[in-house]
């Protein structure tokens, strides 16, 4: 579900030779007009004809203002979006695309260590390109089950040579996270996207340099929270005050009070429902903000996060 967002009606180009179980969809305006600008790390919502909305990272070049590409892994055990795309979204189809959003921004530094697992290569590709253009010192550790499952691997190796450290699991085992930690300890930032086991292992391996790590998650991470308690929320934009009861989200409560609140994933991973926090203390339950961003206590994802104070004042 997306509320209060402009949706572009774009034409699909489809490529199926990317990797085992992965296709790419490239979107362009029917009249050839320019698409909204975006930066490495951005993702878009696909509003599918069957009513589903799914988020995918953009893997094309930001400099190309006329095309946006995403890669989609066929996941039979998922919530159905990828299966529908693989089976029903064909060449020439018209798909609604939300405006690009970015909570995985590439900060300008002189040294990067990129880590990708499987289809997690998608947001990393534009970052690698940007790092190369900037003349930064960078390498990419790229893992997957097999070489044939690793999307864009051949293209990356041809373009960047030995800066691409390919580590297929059936050949060398799991990604060498000790090497990642050692390189990150020498400075710069570590950017990683991939399945949850990889992200959890990287967080553990790089705990001593956690401030240098930037992660992009496909799904909400497992977290343990205490029992929900009721609290008040004031919306500074209009003065509305609501009581948020246990087991009910701020977003659901505001909608019940008549407000149209934008949302998409509704599990704290996409950032669509981000709101500013003017006062009160947030119980952050998202899987998106960094620890430092959560500690700043100036924004929150109202689809999942709550309050540890008796009252929050937010701005939509």
């Amino acid at each position: 579900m997306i509320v209060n967002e402009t949706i572009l009606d774009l034409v699909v180009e489809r490529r199926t030779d990317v990797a085992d179980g992965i296709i790419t969809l490239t979107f362009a305006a029917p009249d050839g007009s320019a698409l909204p600008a975006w930066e490495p790390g951005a993702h878009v919502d696909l509003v599918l004809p069957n009513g589903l909305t799914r988020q995918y990272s953009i893997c094309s070049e930001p400099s190309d203002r006329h095309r946006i590409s995403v890669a989609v892994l066929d996941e039979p055990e998922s919530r159905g979006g990828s299966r529908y795309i693989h089976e029903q979204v064909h060449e020439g189809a018209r798909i609604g695309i939300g405006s690009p959003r970015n909570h995985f921004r590439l900060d300008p530094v002189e040294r990067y260590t990129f880590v990708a697992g499987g289809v997690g290569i998608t947001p990393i590709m534009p970052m690698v390109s940007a790092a190369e253009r900037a003349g930064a010192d960078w390498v990419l550790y790229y893992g997957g089950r097999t070489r044939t499952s690793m999307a864009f691997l051949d293209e990356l190796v041809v373009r960047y040579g030995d800066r691409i450290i390919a580590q297929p699991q059936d050949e060398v085992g799991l990604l060498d996270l000790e090497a990642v930690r050692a390189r990150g300890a020498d400075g710069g930032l570590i950017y990683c996207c991939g399945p949850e086991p990889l992200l959890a292992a990287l967080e553990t391996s790089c705990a001593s340099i956690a401030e240098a790590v930037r992660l992009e998650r496909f799904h909400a991470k497992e977290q343990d929270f205490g029992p929900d308690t009721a609290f008040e929320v004031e919306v500074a934009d209009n003065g509305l005050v609501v009581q948020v009861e246990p087991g009910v989200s701020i977003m659901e409560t505001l909608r019940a009070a008549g407000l149209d609140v934008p949302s998409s994933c509704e599990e704290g991973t996409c950032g669509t429902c981000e709101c500013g926090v003017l006062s009160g203390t947030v119980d952050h339950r998202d899987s998106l903000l960094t620890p430092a961003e959560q500690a700043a206590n100036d924004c929150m994802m109202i689809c999942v996060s709550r309050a540890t104070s008796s009252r929050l004042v937010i701005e939509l």
Side-chain angles (χ1 to χ4, degrees):
M1 178 179 189
I2 300 180
V3 182
N4 284 347
E5 183 176 336
T6 300
I7 306 299
L8 304 175
D9 181 29
L10 304 182
V11 178
V12 174
E13 298 174 22
R14 178 180 167 117
R15 177 183 167 190
T16 60
D17 62 344
V18 181
D20 295 344
I22 297 176
I23 64 173
T24 59
L25 302 180
T26 298
F27 305 97
D31 62 0
S33 59
L35 302 180
W38 58 277
E39 296 178 351
H43 68 268
V44 291
D45 292 300
L46 305 192
V47 185
L48 303 174
N50 66 348
L52 295 176
T53 298
R54 294 293 184 264
Q55 299 82 38
Y56 291 97
S57 297
I58 305 176
C59 60
S60 47
E61 286 285 342
S63 59
D64 185 351
R65 291 291 308 281
H66 293 85
R67 294 157 58 90
I68 284 177
S69 298
V70 302
V72 182
L73 172 66
D74 187 6
E75 298 182 89
E77 303 304 318
S78 70
R79 296 176 295 164
S82 67
R83 188 92 285 268
Y84 180 87
I85 289 171
H86 274 253
E87 293 181 347
Q88 303 295 332
V89 178
H90 303 297
E91 184 84 14
R94 301 282 283 266
I95 297 292
I97 305 295
S99 301
R101 296 191 303 274
N102 200 339
H103 282 273
F104 192 43
R105 297 185 183 280
L106 186 69
D107 293 332
V109 295
E110 295 182 357
R111 181 181 176 89
Y112 297 101
T113 304
F114 298 111
V115 184
V119 77
I121 190 63
T122 50
I124 299 297
M125 286 180 63
M127 293 184 173
V128 164
S129 180
E132 179 72 3
R133 287 195 306 272
D137 172 14
W138 68 268
V139 297
L140 166 62
Y141 290 84
Y142 184 12
R145 297 185 310 278
T146 65
R147 285 186 181 272
T148 57
S149 73
M150 297 166 66
F152 312 110
L153 176 58
D154 291 343
E155 299 169 28
L156 288 165
V157 171
V158 167
R159 185 172 180 182
Y160 300 116
D162 60 7
R163 289 194 175 192
I164 308 301
I165 303 171
Q167 297 182 329
Q169 186 172 349
D170 65 338
E171 297 177 20
V172 301
L174 299 177
L175 275 168
D176 186 356
L177 298 185
E178 178 59 29
V180 171
R181 187 206 61 77
R183 179 178 163 84
D186 284 340
L189 296 175
I190 299 170
Y191 282 82
C192 178
C193 183
E196 184 58 31
L198 169 62
L199 302 187
L202 181 70
E203 285 183 309
T204 298
S205 176
C206 296
S208 62
I209 52 169
E211 70 282 353
V213 176
R214 307 287 187 270
L215 303 177
E216 173 91 318
R217 282 186 155 85
F218 298 143
H219 306 291
K221 62 183 178 181
E222 292 187 7
Q223 303 179 77
D224 293 324
F225 302 107
D228 289 353
T229 58
F231 58 95
E232 283 188 344
V233 169
E234 177 183 344
V235 181
D237 310 67
N238 56 19
L240 174 70
V241 177
V242 295
Q243 177 88 353
V244 181
E245 299 293 344
V248 183
S249 71
I250 297 174
M251 184 175 66
E252 291 169 325
T253 304
L254 294 180
R255 285 180 176 167
L259 297 185
D260 285 336
V261 182
S263 70
S264 181
C265 75
E266 301 192 3
E267 60 177 18
T269 61
C270 75
T272 305
C273 69
E274 180 179 350
C275 293
V277 177
L278 302 182
S279 68
T281 305
V282 179
D283 176 11
H284 289 287
R285 301 186 177 188
D286 65 276
S287 302
L288 184 62
L289 298 175
T290 66
E293 289 170 335
Q294 291 184 345
N297 199 64
D298 58 6
C299 67
M300 68 183 300
M301 307 303 157
I302 60 172
C303 66
V304 292
S305 295
R306 302 183 66 81
T308 57
S309 57
S310 61
R311 184 182 179 95
L312 288 177
V313 180
I314 66 173
E315 56 182 357
L316 300 177

